[in-house]
């Protein structure tokens, strides 16, 4: 059962628990394993996927139409966010091994980037954690302290 844990309207952050069942998480992990490859980033000038020394992880971009679970998740995201499935990026499954990381970066392209001809910059991010880890495993944002303080002050 999904439960909203906290919300911070000032920065557009909502923290949920229970959006996926343990079975869903296990199935997503298995789908990811089928498609994992070394993680890449998009070159801003060429639009090509290229390795980046700041990113030590594996990634998968399974096709939504091949997996009913991915379609169901996309529809759930559309209900929660108001972003239609047609406007969502494909689901990206990431695996960070011990010591893996993606160093601080910006998920956006300059207005003159040829890459934007294929679509716009990401407007929001929806992150699902599929398993618990003993250490690490966090996602931070450039205003990470603001996020923490906001959520501590504004729980539901």
């Amino acid at each position: 059962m999904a439960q909203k844990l906290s919300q911070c309207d000032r920065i557009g952050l909502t923290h949920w628990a229970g959006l996926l069942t343990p079975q869903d998480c296990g199935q997503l992990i298995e789908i990811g394993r089928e498609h994992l490859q070394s993680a890449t980033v998009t070159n801003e000038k060429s639009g090509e996927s290229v390795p980046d020394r700041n990113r030590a992880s594996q990634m998968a971009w399974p096709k939504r139409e091949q997996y009913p679970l991915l379609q169901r998740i996309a529809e759930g995201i559309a209900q929660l966010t108001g972003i239609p499935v047609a406007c969502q990026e494909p689901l990206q499954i990431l695996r960070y091994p011990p010591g893996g990381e993606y160093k601080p970066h910006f998920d956006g392209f300059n207005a003159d980037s040829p890459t934007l001809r294929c679509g716009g910059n990401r407007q929001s991010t929806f992150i699902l954690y599929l398993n618990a880890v003993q250490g690490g495993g966090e996602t931070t944002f450039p205003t990470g302290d603001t996020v923490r303080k906001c959520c501590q002050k504004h729980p539901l």
Side-chain angles (χ1 to χ4, degrees), residues 23-89:
Q23 294 79 14
D24 291 340
C25 293
Q27 188 177 354
L28 279 173
I29 290 168
E30 288 305 313
I31 291 169
R33 282 189 182 129
E34 293 174 22
H35 300 277
L36 281 177
Q37 58 188 16
S38 293
T40 57
V41 300
T42 302
N43 178 289
E44 183 164 6
K45 294 186 180 9
S46 70
E48 294 178 281
S49 293
V50 297
D52 185 324
R53 62 185 171 83
N54 292 315
R55 189 169 200 178
S57 63
Q58 295 175 303
M59 65 190 294
W61 292 83
K63 297 194 180 313
R64 189 180 298 140
E65 57 274 5
Q66 292 179 328
Y67 300 96
L69 175 60
L70 300 186
Q71 183 62 36
R72 185 168 54 82
I73 290 170
E75 290 167 0
I77 290 170
Q79 287 178 353
L80 285 172
T81 65
I83 299 170
V85 172
C87 297
Q88 296 175 23
E89 288 183 36

Side-chain angles (χ1 to χ4, degrees), residues 15-27:
H15 181 198
W16 292 83
L19 291 174
L20 299 176
T21 67
Q23 294 79 14
D24 291 340
C25 293
Q27 188 177 354

Side-chain angles (χ1 to χ4, degrees), residues 4 14-15 23 26 29 32 44 65 92 96 110 115 126 128:
K4 192 184 290 189
T14 305
H15 181 198
Q23 294 79 14
I29 290 168
E44 183 164 6
E65 57 274 5
Q92 184 181 139
Y96 288 91
N110 291 321
T115 303
F126 197 98
L128 297 164

Side-chain angles (χ1 to χ4, degrees), residues 122-134:
R122 182 178 294 153
Q123 299 298 308
S124 57
T125 299
F126 197 98
I127 300 173
L128 297 164
Y129 290 91
L130 303 179
N131 58 358
V133 296
Q134 294 298 317

